[in-house]
Amino acid sequence: MNTIISILTSVISQAAVLVALISFIGLVAQRASVERTMTGTLKTFLGFLIMGQGSNIITGMLDPLNEIMMEAFHIQGVIPVNEAITAMASEQYGTKMAFIAFFGLIINILLARFTKFKYIFLSGHHTIIMAALTAVMLSMFGLPTAGVIAIGAIVVGIMSVLTPAISMPFVRKITGGETFALGHWATTGYIFSGFIGKIFGKNPEETSTEKMELPKWMGFFKEPVILMGIGVFIIEIICCAFAGSEFVANYAGTTHMVVWALMQGFIFSAGVSVILLGVRMILAELVPAFKGIAERIVPNAIPALDCPTVFTFAPNAIMVGFIGYTIGQFIAFGICLATGMTVIIPTLLHSFFMGGTAAIFANATGGRRGAVIGSLLTGVLNNMLCSLLFPAFAALGFAGTTFADTDFSIIGLIFYGIAHLLGVA
């Protein structure tokens, strides 16, 4: 039984394996040739690995910058990390998590087959994280294991079709009608950003982040990866200057901190370039392969994919979101300090993935101004939600971290509110 649970967890949690398996099933359903089936399956697998390695490059570069920023501005508090709290939860709830994730996927497929919500959620790592959240929160109610698994799986299954469905109008606007959806559980934050862009922004056709007009001598700024590298270098050098060369040397070694900061800025760009390469490969292979599932297994099925899949449609917005979301996190930091709430440390990794995606949503509805305001307010919203959720997990023995994304925080707060009403919290 433990071996089966381990295999199920590994398949679901490894997005590259899960999506390659889906691609394989789709190509077989289309009766594609052996050569086409193997090529499509392996290129989908490779595309996800490439995207993952790009994410690893970004993570490896932003983690030291986060530490330097904390030293520079004397920041202390809680860092929300999905993977950290999921790992902690797995020690006590690992079996429940695995079954919730597995049956949640089954319910997702059934809902896609028999309802108008045709989305199949393929961000497996997020499925595992939601399974961890539901396993922990439902255990508060004193339910038997079967009850925790059943309710948790229903929640995961419904969320797997509902969140792609409500974000799809924005995704169509961003992509121009591409046949994939967003499968990332910060969806409420992205939708919030999209509406903010619509309210406060301008005509996106005229003021898009991708149509910035610059003097000829600044033409190189039109290259998004160059703009990102220079932007992150500026942020890096400011943080290094305030932290001091002695502290920066813990990461830079004998390299002068200005040179190190420059390299880090363009390592960020390199990571983004790798992510975009992986995304293009995934979309080129998975979407056509998915037609086999759409035609034979789940009619009109639409794959819901991780947030970097929208990055290729508005690369300049990523940098706008990175900066705007970071500012928003600092505003939330100040609010928490002033009100005595749990202080959430600004996290630059979230600024990249969540902030970049939030800006892309807001850019599609309100152009540059929408992207700035939308990503900033989404940074405030997400960190305030994290602050509200943290005491619940601290009370359950999960000290030091909390879940990082808006959807996790909202579901967690709903469960905790119900527990309070029933007197079991």
Side-chain angles (χ1 to χ4, degrees):
M1 178 61 75
N2 287 338
T3 302
I4 294 173
I5 291 171
S6 178
I7 292 171
L8 289 175
T9 305
S10 296
V11 170
I12 293 170
S13 64
Q14 294 298 322
V17 176
L18 178 62
V19 175
L21 179 61
I22 294 293
S23 184
F24 175 79
I25 293 170
L27 289 165
V28 169
Q30 292 179 49
R31 295 189 175 91
S33 67
V34 173
E35 179 186 0
R36 173 73 186 102
T37 300
M38 294 307 297
T39 301
T41 301
L42 293 176
K43 287 186 77 173
T44 302
F45 183 57
L46 180 60
F48 259 85
L49 292 178
I50 290 172
M51 188 174 77
Q53 289 306 307
S55 297
N56 290 340
I57 292 170
I58 296 290
T59 302
M61 171 263 151
L62 289 179
D63 282 347
L65 177 55
N66 228 86
E67 296 292 330
I68 291 168
M69 183 182 71
M70 290 166 64
E71 173 67 20
F73 303 108
H74 306 292
I75 299 171
Q76 292 184 338
V78 173
I79 301 177
V81 183
N82 289 326
E83 292 75 14
I85 195 162
T86 299
M88 292 165 66
S90 66
E91 295 178 7
Q92 186 174 351
Y93 304 99
T95 301
K96 294 176 184 176
M97 286 167 50
F99 279 114
I100 288 171
F102 175 73
F103 288 115
L105 179 59
I106 298 299
I107 291 171
N108 177 189
I109 294 170
L110 291 173
L111 289 172
R113 176 67 179 83
F114 296 108
T115 74
K116 65 179 182 180
F117 300 109
K118 300 300 181 183
Y119 306 97
I120 297 181
F121 194 91
L122 297 180
S123 299
H125 62 297
H126 261 225
T127 300
I128 292 292
I129 296 166
M130 186 63 80
L133 172 68
T134 53
V136 172
M137 300 306 286
L138 287 168
S139 295
M140 283 193 307
F141 294 88
L143 296 171
T145 297
V148 170
I149 293 171
I151 297 173
I154 291 169
V155 170
V156 170
I158 291 173
M159 290 287 290
S160 296
V161 295
L162 182 60
T163 52
I166 60 177
S167 65
M168 196 61 187
F170 294 93
V171 174
R172 287 198 184 100
K173 197 172 183 67
I174 291 164
T175 65
E178 285 283 351
T179 52
F180 72 90
L182 184 71
H184 189 261
W185 276 327
T187 297
T188 48
Y190 303 147
I191 293 171
F192 170 78
S193 183
F195 278 116
I196 291 296
K198 190 172 183 178
I199 294 168
F200 295 102
K202 292 186 176 182
N203 185 347
E205 298 296 327
E206 298 175 0
T207 65
S208 170
T209 55
E210 311 313 299
K211 294 182 179 179
M212 290 188 289
E213 295 182 6
L214 299 169
K216 282 189 176 180
W217 69 271
M218 294 180 68
F220 61 91
F221 274 116
K222 293 181 180 178
E223 291 291 332
V225 290
I226 293 177
L227 182 63
M228 289 176 196
I230 293 173
V232 175
F233 164 64
I234 293 170
I235 294 169
E236 188 98 39
I237 200 65
I238 291 171
C239 291
C240 287
F242 278 95
S245 57
E246 186 175 339
F247 184 84
V248 175
N250 293 323
Y251 305 96
T254 57
T255 305
H256 191 280
M257 73 177 185
V258 174
V259 177
W260 182 77
L262 178 66
M263 292 179 64
Q264 293 298 296
F266 282 89
I267 286 173
F268 180 91
S269 291
V272 173
S273 299
V274 173
I275 288 173
L276 297 180
L277 173 63
V279 167
R280 292 187 187 103
M281 186 178 292
I282 293 163
L283 296 182
E285 297 297 331
L286 177 63
V287 173
F290 206 81
K291 289 180 180 178
I293 292 175
E295 291 170 359
R296 296 180 179 273
I297 302 171
V298 180
N300 303 313
I302 301 171
L305 305 171
D306 205 350
C307 63
T309 49
V310 299
F311 284 5
T312 57
F313 298 94
N316 288 338
I318 300 171
M319 192 65 210
V320 173
F322 181 84
I323 296 172
Y325 193 93
T326 301
I327 294 170
Q329 289 190 91
F330 272 103
I331 291 172
F333 180 88
I335 293 171
C336 291
L337 277 178
T339 59
M341 296 172 64
T342 301
V343 174
I344 302 296
I345 293 175
T347 309
L348 297 180
L349 191 64
H350 302 157
S351 296
F352 173 67
F353 287 107
M354 286 190 277
T357 308
I360 290 170
F361 270 63
N363 177 62
T365 58
R368 291 189 292 275
R369 180 189 291 179
V372 172
I373 299 174
S375 59
L376 186 152
L377 292 181
T378 304
V380 175
L381 172 70
N382 189 65
N383 277 32
M384 295 304 294
L385 288 173
C386 289
S387 180
L388 290 170
L389 183 61
F390 176 77
F393 283 96
L396 292 167
F398 297 94
T401 189
T402 186
F403 289 92
D405 302 343
T406 49
D407 295 359
F408 297 126
S409 295
I410 289 170
I411 294 297
L413 287 168
I414 289 171
F415 275 125
Y416 200 60
I418 293 170
H420 262 292
L421 288 175
L422 297 178
V424 296

